[in-house]
Amino acid sequence: MELLPNLRDKKISLASASPRRRELMGLLGIDFAVAPSVEVNEVYPDSLPAEEVPLFLSRLKAEGYRSIMTPDDLFITADTVVIIDDDVIGKPHDEADAAAMLGRLSGRRHTVVTGVTLSTLDRMESFSVDTAVDFAPLTAEEIAFYVSRFRPLDKAGAYGIQEWIGAIGIKGIEGSFYNVMGLPVHRLWNALRSF
């Protein structure tokens, strides 16, 4: 059975080093490759509203792949950020930074936004998805345990919802669970179907 007949002549590539994005992309049941890494300077204008940052960065990443694209390629690029108090929180620099981020999220609501861009040589289409996440208050011991055991240095906001901290610390979410993991697969599926 051909799930995406509109893309039968395209080689779909996920341009991401994230193992979680690769896992989520696999849930779609379509053939895809993992694109080689390209160097992209992920800098955005200070004046950019926080909720627009991941969309901007996903497009910036897509532009980085233009030089290696062939007419058969369709690249998927994505960027996920955590936003609290209108501040963009990316990946922590070290364990102390991770603990500080979790301390800031403790007992509060924040928003996870993922920007996704689908691009071919002649077309680029982008969207973003946001999910509200409510954290219960976390103790210093819980934060220290999570950071030392799970080392969430490769995760926006210093946590993975699918890990221990999600199980004990997240009271609820409004929106896509998979978006918090790093790829809003429902919206991506629909974007691929209509591309």
Side-chain angles (χ1 to χ4, degrees), residues 13-19 21-22 34-37 61 65 76-78:
S13 294
L14 176 66
S16 177
S18 166
R21 283 202 186 110
R22 293 175 189 179
V34 175
S37 292
K61 291 176 183 180
Y65 282 92
I76 300 168
T77 53

Side-chain angles (χ1 to χ4, degrees), residues 103-166:
R104 187 172 179 190
L105 299 177
S106 174
R108 300 188 58 202
R109 171 175 276 213
H110 64 272
T111 304
V112 176
V113 183
T114 301
V116 179
T117 297
L118 309 180
S119 57
T120 62
L121 276 177
D122 57 358
R123 188 170 169 196
M124 188 180 284
E125 188 175 297
S126 302
F127 62 87
S128 67
V129 173
D130 62 288
T131 303
V133 180
D134 290 311
F135 257 107
L138 301 169
T139 67
E141 293 76 20
E142 289 167 338
I143 290 172
F145 171 81
Y146 176 69
V147 170
S148 66
R149 174 74 58 93
F150 291 88
R151 298 193 44 79
L153 304 183
D154 64 336
K155 297 173 176 66
Y159 76 92
I161 191 171
Q162 72 281 10
E163 294 176 340
W164 180 83
I165 197 83

Side-chain angles (χ1 to χ4, degrees), residues 145-192:
F145 171 81
Y146 176 69
V147 170
S148 66
R149 174 74 58 93
F150 291 88
R151 298 193 44 79
L153 304 183
D154 64 336
K155 297 173 176 66
Y159 76 92
I161 191 171
Q162 72 281 10
E163 294 176 340
W164 180 83
I165 197 83
I168 68 103
I170 293 179
K171 294 192 299 184
I173 66 170
E174 288 180 23
S176 168
F177 172 84
Y178 296 118
N179 183 51
V180 183
M181 283 182 68
L183 195 64
V185 286
H186 171 75
R187 181 74 185 274
L188 175 58
W189 175 255
N190 286 299
L192 288 167

Side-chain angles (χ1 to χ4, degrees), residues 53 65 184 195:
V53 167
Y65 282 92
F195 193 78

